[in-house]
Amino acid sequence: MTVLRRFGLLAPLAAFSLAGCGINSIPTAEEQVNAEFANLQAEYQRRNDVIGNLVETVKGAAGSEEKILTQVTEARSRATSATLTPAQLSDPAAVKRFNDAQASLSGARSLLGTVIMERYPQLQSQQRFGDLMVALEGTENRIRTQRRDYNEAVRQYNTRIRTFPDAIGAKIFYGAKPKVPFEAEAGAQDAPKVDFNTGG
């Protein structure tokens, strides 16, 4: 009877100690990282869908910029074929490959927009084209916001698995590894250069 009574007193203490060692908070933080990553993937898919419609619209209206359209189509193909699973979020090389593929699509989209503005200004008057460009710009903004939210979730998770007392549970129970945040695209701090070839 005494042993059972002691066990009855120790059980809540053990449960409290385990809870304080990240037994619940580590999986919760990891699920938050995975959820933010899924939201980011949804935004990338939305952008790919919008770009597909944009390319078809430009092809129908302009019809002749095959090189630019091919570059955008190829970049879109690379971006959609680059995959990253939640299990790979701790692999810096896998995150970099995914990030690079998405960055190439952003660059190609900017190139397409510049060429259209330079060579096909009449397309601006077409409502469908204008709607798609607005949707694409909105999507890029949503991607930036979602990347920030993902990176914040990663920061919180990485901090949690490295600080006491959660670090104990993270190591012993989960073998937790740091997740990899997305870095800014190369040249993201620079304003894009637009050249309308108006110089002499």
Side-chain angles (χ1 to χ4, degrees):
M1 193 71 162
T2 307
V3 173
L4 288 176
R5 189 171 292 163
R6 282 184 185 168
F7 180 74
L9 292 173
L10 291 176
L13 180 61
F16 181 75
S17 297
L18 286 174
C21 292
I23 202 76
N24 291 325
S25 61
I26 298 301
T28 301
E30 186 171 33
E31 286 303 315
Q32 184 64 34
V33 171
N34 293 343
E36 295 296 354
F37 177 66
N39 291 339
L40 180 59
Q41 285 182 309
E43 292 301 333
Y44 281 139
Q45 183 59 54
R46 182 176 185 274
R47 178 179 67 178
N48 290 333
D49 294 343
V50 171
I51 285 182
N53 290 333
L54 177 59
V55 168
E56 291 306 313
T57 299
V58 173
K59 274 184 179 178
S64 64
E65 289 299 322
E66 284 303 316
K67 183 177 179 185
I68 299 299
L69 294 175
T70 299
Q71 287 176 348
V72 173
T73 302
E74 288 173 354
R76 178 176 178 249
S77 176
R78 283 192 300 275
T80 55
S81 66
T83 58
L84 186 66
T85 66
Q88 294 173 306
L89 293 176
S90 298
D91 180 358
V95 172
K96 183 174 183 345
R97 280 192 303 272
F98 183 81
N99 201 34
D100 289 347
Q102 299 305 325
S104 72
L105 183 53
S106 290
R109 181 202 56 87
S110 296
L111 178 61
L112 176 64
T114 300
V115 168
I116 288 168
M117 295 297 287
E118 288 177 5
R119 301 185 187 171
Y120 300 104
Q122 72 275 13
L123 289 178
Q124 295 177 57
S125 64
Q126 296 182 8
Q127 184 63 40
R128 180 73 178 136
F129 177 80
D131 291 346
L132 286 169
M133 288 301 288
V134 168
L136 188 55
E137 183 62 30
T139 299
E140 291 292 337
N141 289 335
R142 288 168 65 162
I143 286 172
R144 279 190 288 274
T145 299
Q146 191 55 54
R147 281 167 61 111
R148 185 193 63 217
D149 292 347
Y150 167 79
N151 283 348
E152 176 59 19
V154 167
R155 184 195 67 75
Q156 291 179 13
Y157 173 81
N158 289 347
T159 300
R160 189 173 290 278
I161 68 170
R162 293 177 58 206
T163 54
F164 182 82
D166 289 346
I168 297 168
K171 291 276 188 203
I172 294 173
F173 294 105
Y174 301 110
K177 296 179 181 176
K179 303 294 184 185
V180 181
F182 286 111
E183 297 179 0
E185 297 168 6
Q189 72 280 4
D190 301 326
K193 180 181 179 184
V194 179
D195 182 4
F196 292 100
N197 295 319
T198 56

